[in-house]
């Protein structure tokens, strides 16, 4: 008998001993980080709401209780009883029964009403029918991504359970080494922006944090070195993804092409956005005549292997590592990632990309932890002069630019990331039109912006508190304002917009590295009355950075499908409006460290160009007397 089987046998005995005599335990299994307890008495279990909480506290494990498949009631009898328990206002749109696990997935417009106060309605459902309810939100704006991901995971339930059971056994295996040390190896995004990737290793465990591309470049992370995949992709125990932007997520599916078969830990919205953005990444590559690095099948593999975690949940991901995600304030589902290593041995936090202050879209980044000895900190705007304009001033500047352009009969073209910046700008425009600060006019959303917005409305609990409340009231959902128009008719529709009256155009890609923005430059670029407005970071080497620096003759594809390239003379004015970036500026980064509780002993400044990381590293050393580093790629730091 393996050590894990012995452990499960002992746990079963301990749980049986703790439970009242009239509640039986038929099986105990690990599924990913959770301990799943199967019982023939789910209704009795549900009557005592404190039982699971007490067990979880005593065993120090995340516990899920499921009915033994033998005792399940017929779904046709269970369905009316479930609907009778749930208040009608919850807006149930679907019930899906899974006999293999005894779960019923309830899709509803208002999940909170299905859950009830402290889970009371969920317990009532189990008491009535024995099935274990799982609740998901019906997207207020229909999202093909959310729908496809949910359907795919439903089809792959059996395979997914095998993955979870295998992962659970890996997490809870006995430790093999008596040594104690912690190392971080940098595989990308050091003294550069893009291709974020790190290895956290201990004698027991190797974890990959992020695996992204580099905008405007073919460079990829140094995955083939011995510390990473050099000894085989399955030498990794886990992959952790901080957020879905391609400079952090684009090459996650590539790991499965190399043979990785383990878990990816991230938040639920990040999982969905990763699917959306990586599939688009493949699509753009093939349209531009480049060979994509992996097939779409690998994106599905990545989604199937994802174990979503919520902010604040402390989760075992290896025998000697606990992981906790916290809100990073950057984009939907973005996470500051905290690793607790060993039995109190060492703590490392990766900021991922952060925004320290609240924005219209998100609450600001969390920087309060039980312990942190080392912080790996993004430094995108870490340069000594990288101070962004106050958000209210930025919004006023944008409003002024729009009004001036409107008065001269032009159009405002805004290149923006589909995820994050676009929704932030949409909220500014919706309020400005509603309050009469700018004239009401069409706001055309091109590329993946509409689909990304639909995903935002599926996960309002990840948004700023007041925005979440507005989305819950359908008549107040700002993303449903009548001015927003989803461009889905291709070149013909774009030409009609270009020939029409004043309008605002929000289009991907945010750094002008391809996608529909190239078409808008062709259609609107030669118009001197129109304006191109940058609202986000333009990385070195991207066309966006070059235009920002004064290029007015740019290479563009003809748009005739033959891939021929011409030079286009830009006659539209070019503006940069700071303050909308999803990244903290220099002051925000310093404040994040200054107010961090506890303050770390060491900081590694990464994810910024050479000047930015060295400026920030130097400032943190001088101001707070902490050890700071501006590492190069392929450096390894030992911390214990």
């Amino acid at each position: 008998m393996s050590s894990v089987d012995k452990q499960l046998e002992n746990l079963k005995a301990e749980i049986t001993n703790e439970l009242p005599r009239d509640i039986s335990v038929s099986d105990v299994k690990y599924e990913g980080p959770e301990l799943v307890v199967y019982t023939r008495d789910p209704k009795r279990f549900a009557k005592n709401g404190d039982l699971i909480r007490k067990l979880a506290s005593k065993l120090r494990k995340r516990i899920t209780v499921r009915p033994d498949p033998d005792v399940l009631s017929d779904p046709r009898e269970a369905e009316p009883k479930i609907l009778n328990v749930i208040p009608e206002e919850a807006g149930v749109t679907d019930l899906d029964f899974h006999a293999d696990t005894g779960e019923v997935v309830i899709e509803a417009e208002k999940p909170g009403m299905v859950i009830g106060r402290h889970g009371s309605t969920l317990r009532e459902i189990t008491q009535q029918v024995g099935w274990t309810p799982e609740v998901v939100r019906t997207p207020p704006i229909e999202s093909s991504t959310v729908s496809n991901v949910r359907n795919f995971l439903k089809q792959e339930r059996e395979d997914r359970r095998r993955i979870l059971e295998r992962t659970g056994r890996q997490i809870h295996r006995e430790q093999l080494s008596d040594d104690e040390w912690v190392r971080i190896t940098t595989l990308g995004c050091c003294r550069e922006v893009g291709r974020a990737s790190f290895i956290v290793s201990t004698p027991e465990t190797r974890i990959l944090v992020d695996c992204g591309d580099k905008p405007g470049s073919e460079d990829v992370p140094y995955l083939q070195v011995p510390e990473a995949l050099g000894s085989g992709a399955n030498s990794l125990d886990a992959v952790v993804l901080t957020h879905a932007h391609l400079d952090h997520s684009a090459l996650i599916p590539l790991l499965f092409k190399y043979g990785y078969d383990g878990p990816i830990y991230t938040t639920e919205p990040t999982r969905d956005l990763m699917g959306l953005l990586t599939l688009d990444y493949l699509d753009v590559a093939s349209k531009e005549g480049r060979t994509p690095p992996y097939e779409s099948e690998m994106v599905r593999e990545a989604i199937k292997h994802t174990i979503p975690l919520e902010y604040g949940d402390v989760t075992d991901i290896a025998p000697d590592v606990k992981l906790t995600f916290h809100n990073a304030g950057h984009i939907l589902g973005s996470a500051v990632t905290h690793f607790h290593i060993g039995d109190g041995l060492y703590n490392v936090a990766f900021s991922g990309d952060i925004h320290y202050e609240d924005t219209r879209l998100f609450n600001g980044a969390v920087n309060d932890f039980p312990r942190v000895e080392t912080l790996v900190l993004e430094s995108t705007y870490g340069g000594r002069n990288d101070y962004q304009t106050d958000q209210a001033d930025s919004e006023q500047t944008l409003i002024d630019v729009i009004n001036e352009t409107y008065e001269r009969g032009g159009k405002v073209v805004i290149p923006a990331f589909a995820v994050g910046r676009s929704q932030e700008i949409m909220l500014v425009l919706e309020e400005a039109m509603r309050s009469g600060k700018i004239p009401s006019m069409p706001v055309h959303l091109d590329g993946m912006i509409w689909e990304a917005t639909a995903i935002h409305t599926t996960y309002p609990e990840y948004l700023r508190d007041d925005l979440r409340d507005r989305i819950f009231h359908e008549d107040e959902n700002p993303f449903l304002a009548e001015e927003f128009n989803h461009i889905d008719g291709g070149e013909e529709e774009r030409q009609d917009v270009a020939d029409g009256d004043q309008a605002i155009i929000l289009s991907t890609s945010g750094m002008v590295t391809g996608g529909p923005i190239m078409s808008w430059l062709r259609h609107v670029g030669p118009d001197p009355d129109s304006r191109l407005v940058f609202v986000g970071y333009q990385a070195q080497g991207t066309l966006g950075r070059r235009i920002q620096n004064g290029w007015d003759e740019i290479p563009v594809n003809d748009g005739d499908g033959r891939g021929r390239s011409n030079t286009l003379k830009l006659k539209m004015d070019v503006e940069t409006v700071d303050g909308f970036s999803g990244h903290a500026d220099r002051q925000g980064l310093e404040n994040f460290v200054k107010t961090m509780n506890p303050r770390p002993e060491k900081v590694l400044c990464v994810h910024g160009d050479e000047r930015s990381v060295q400026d920030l590293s130097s400032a943190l050393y001088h101001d707070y007397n902490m050890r700071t580093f501006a590492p190069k790629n392929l450096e390894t730091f030992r911390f214990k």
Side-chain angles (χ1 to χ4, degrees):
M1 184 186 284
S2 76
S3 65
V4 175
D5 289 323
K6 204 173 284 182
Q7 200 183 120
L8 287 169
E9 207 173 77
N10 292 339
L11 283 166
K12 184 177 176 182
E14 199 173 343
I15 291 167
T16 303
N17 196 44
E18 287 293 317
L19 293 175
R21 288 181 181 275
D22 60 349
I23 298 179
S24 64
V25 175
S26 50
D27 202 3
V28 175
K29 288 181 181 176
Y30 284 126
E31 286 187 16
E34 297 197 332
L35 182 67
V36 181
V37 178
Y38 286 90
T39 176
R40 298 183 64 81
D41 310 293
K43 294 180 181 180
R44 292 195 191 110
F45 229 118
K47 266 184 186 166
N48 189 335
D50 280 344
L51 262 186
I52 296 173
R53 190 177 53 76
K54 283 177 183 167
L55 277 177
S57 173
K58 182 170 176 60
L59 303 175
R60 297 182 69 184
K61 294 193 183 301
R62 288 168 59 179
I63 292 179
T64 297
V65 173
R66 291 196 194 133
D68 191 301
D70 291 350
V71 300
L72 290 173
S73 58
D74 187 311
R76 286 167 300 186
E77 293 170 18
E79 184 166 328
K81 290 181 181 175
I82 291 170
L83 293 174
N84 193 43
V85 171
I86 300 169
E88 205 172 314
E89 313 87 88
V92 174
T93 52
D94 191 30
L95 291 179
D96 195 11
F97 292 86
H98 298 279
D100 57 335
T101 57
E103 292 169 299
V104 53
V105 180
I106 303 168
E107 189 173 290
E109 290 163 4
K110 296 178 180 171
M113 299 190 79
V114 182
I115 294 165
R117 189 171 167 78
H118 303 309
S120 57
T121 310
L122 295 182
R123 287 196 298 278
E124 176 69 16
I125 290 168
T126 303
Q127 280 181 61
Q128 290 290 325
V129 298
W131 291 77
T132 299
E134 185 187 320
V135 192
V136 295
R137 183 182 309 283
T138 309
I141 299 174
E142 194 177 331
S143 161
S144 58
T145 302
V146 171
S147 164
N148 290 341
V149 167
R150 287 178 181 175
N151 288 333
F152 171 67
L153 291 175
K154 191 158 79 177
Q155 289 162 20
E156 299 290 330
R157 275 181 81 92
E158 224 170 284
D159 211 10
R160 193 167 151 69
R161 272 186 75 197
R162 280 196 292 271
I163 293 165
L164 288 171
E165 282 188 26
R166 190 174 66 238
T167 301
R169 296 177 76 85
Q170 269 293 101
I171 291 169
H172 297 97
R173 64 179 168 79
E174 63 180 326
Q175 296 194 28
L176 304 171
S177 172
D178 293 331
D179 282 353
E180 289 189 327
W181 45 259
V182 180
R183 298 191 312 175
I184 290 178
T185 301
T186 59
L187 306 180
C189 88
C190 291
R191 306 193 184 193
E192 62 182 354
V193 173
R195 59 168 172 172
S197 200
F198 303 88
I199 291 277
V200 177
S201 52
T202 73
E204 291 290 330
T205 305
R206 280 143 54 81
I207 298 163
L208 182 72
V209 180
D210 289 347
C211 195
D213 75 345
K214 185 171 178 179
S217 162
E218 296 292 303
D219 293 346
V220 298
Y222 291 93
L223 293 173
Q224 302 305 343
V225 299
E227 296 90 331
L229 309 185
S231 48
N234 268 329
S235 64
L236 291 177
D237 293 277
V239 174
V240 173
L241 177 59
T242 61
H243 68 286
H245 275 156
L246 289 172
D247 59 332
H248 294 255
S249 77
L251 300 177
I252 294 274
L254 185 65
L255 302 171
F256 293 90
K257 182 176 176 178
Y258 289 153
Y260 180 63
D261 197 28
I264 298 168
Y265 295 94
T266 195
T267 62
E268 207 170 4
T270 297
R271 177 198 64 197
D272 293 4
L273 290 169
M274 174 187 70
L276 173 70
L277 294 178
T278 50
L279 287 172
D280 182 70
Y281 173 76
L282 297 183
D283 189 42
V284 169
S286 60
K287 279 179 182 166
E288 292 177 353
R290 292 182 284 116
T291 305
Y294 49 83
E295 305 295 317
S296 58
E297 180 56 36
M298 298 299 105
V299 176
R300 286 190 281 277
E301 279 299 308
I303 288 168
K304 186 165 68 178
H305 284 74
T306 298
I307 298 178
L309 304 179
E310 293 182 13
Y311 292 152
D313 283 353
V314 181
T315 304
D316 290 303
I317 65 165
D320 60 340
V321 181
K322 294 183 193 300
L323 167 68
T324 315
F325 286 139
H326 301 275
N327 170 43
H330 174 63
I331 64 167
L332 185 72
S334 61
V336 175
T337 302
H338 180 274
F339 294 99
H340 176 83
I341 297 162
D343 190 9
L345 176 71
Y346 207 76
N347 294 262
V348 178
F350 286 78
S351 72
D353 290 352
I354 51 169
H355 196 286
Y356 182 62
E357 306 290 341
D358 291 353
T359 65
R360 282 182 178 269
L361 207 49
F362 303 113
N363 297 324
V366 167
N367 63 350
D368 201 0
F369 311 98
R371 269 181 56 191
V372 176
E373 282 80 41
T374 290
L375 169 67
V376 182
L377 177 66
E378 73 120 320
S379 315
T380 316
Y381 288 110
R384 61 170 55 90
N385 298 316
D386 288 345
Y387 294 97
Q388 290 174 27
T389 317
D390 172 77
Q391 185 158 343
D393 292 344
S394 302
E395 291 182 10
Q396 189 56 53
T397 303
L398 181 62
I399 286 166
D400 292 343
V401 167
I402 291 169
N403 281 328
E404 286 166 24
T405 312
Y406 183 88
E407 280 165 24
R408 62 193 202 191
K411 296 171 183 65
V412 174
V413 179
I414 305 175
F417 293 122
V419 178
R421 278 341 79 213
S422 292
Q423 290 72 35
E424 190 83 34
I425 298 296
M426 286 169 74
L427 292 174
V428 173
L429 297 178
E430 185 270 338
E431 191 198 80
M433 289 185 193
R434 185 164 37 88
S435 60
K437 291 176 186 169
I438 57 175
S440 185
M441 68 184 100
V443 179
H444 301 287
L445 310 171
D446 204 351
M448 295 180 301
I449 294 171
W450 185 249
E451 179 59 26
T453 303
I455 296 172
H456 279 71
T457 64
T458 307
Y459 298 105
E461 61 274 26
Y462 285 83
L463 302 175
R464 186 170 165 166
D465 306 342
D466 55 344
L467 176 58
R468 180 184 62 208
D469 294 343
R470 287 184 69 193
I471 287 172
F472 285 152
H473 299 96
E474 200 176 314
D475 53 342
E476 287 184 33
N477 188 335
F479 296 118
L480 294 174
E482 60 182 15
E483 287 86 356
F484 295 130
N485 169 51
H486 176 209
I487 296 272
D488 57 4
E491 282 307 302
E492 207 173 305
E493 191 177 357
R494 291 183 190 121
Q495 187 63 63
D496 288 345
V497 169
D499 293 341
D501 292 335
Q502 296 99 317
I504 298 166
I505 296 143
L506 264 177
S507 174
T508 56
S509 77
M511 295 190 192
V512 199
T513 50
I517 188 64
M518 307 310 292
S519 176
W520 290 110
L521 292 181
R522 270 202 319 278
H523 290 306
V524 185
D527 175 14
D529 292 328
S530 291
R531 283 222 176 107
L532 181 68
V533 182
F534 289 109
V535 293
Y537 182 77
Q538 304 300 306
Q540 282 182 333
T542 60
L543 186 54
R545 173 71 76 96
R546 290 178 182 131
I547 294 171
Q548 211 176 30
N549 288 344
W551 275 33
D552 58 4
E553 290 192 0
I554 60 167
V556 291
N557 189 293
D558 272 352
D560 60 1
R562 294 181 198 162
R564 290 182 304 194
S565 191
N566 274 340
T567 299
L568 172 76
K569 178 78 175 165
L570 278 186
K571 293 184 180 171
M572 64 196 314
D573 287 346
V574 176
E575 301 267 355
T576 296
V577 181
D578 287 327
F580 290 113
S581 173
H583 295 270
D585 68 356
R586 169 62 176 266
Q587 191 64 59
L589 291 167
E590 287 211 32
N591 287 345
F592 182 85
V593 175
K594 178 182 172 184
T595 62
M596 195 165 156
N597 182 34
R599 198 178 286 173
E601 298 160 10
K602 299 184 180 80
V603 179
L604 274 58
C605 296
V606 301
H607 199 289
D609 61 34
E610 193 150 354
R611 177 188 59 83
S612 301
V613 292
Q614 289 182 334
D615 280 359
L616 185 61
S617 175
S618 172
L620 294 176
Y621 168 73
H622 286 296
D623 293 352
Y624 306 119
N625 194 27
M626 50 176 50
R627 292 189 65 191
T628 62
F629 307 86
K632 294 178 179 175
N633 290 328
L634 292 179
E635 287 198 55
T636 294
F637 294 81
R638 178 174 175 170
F639 294 115
K640 200 72 183 173

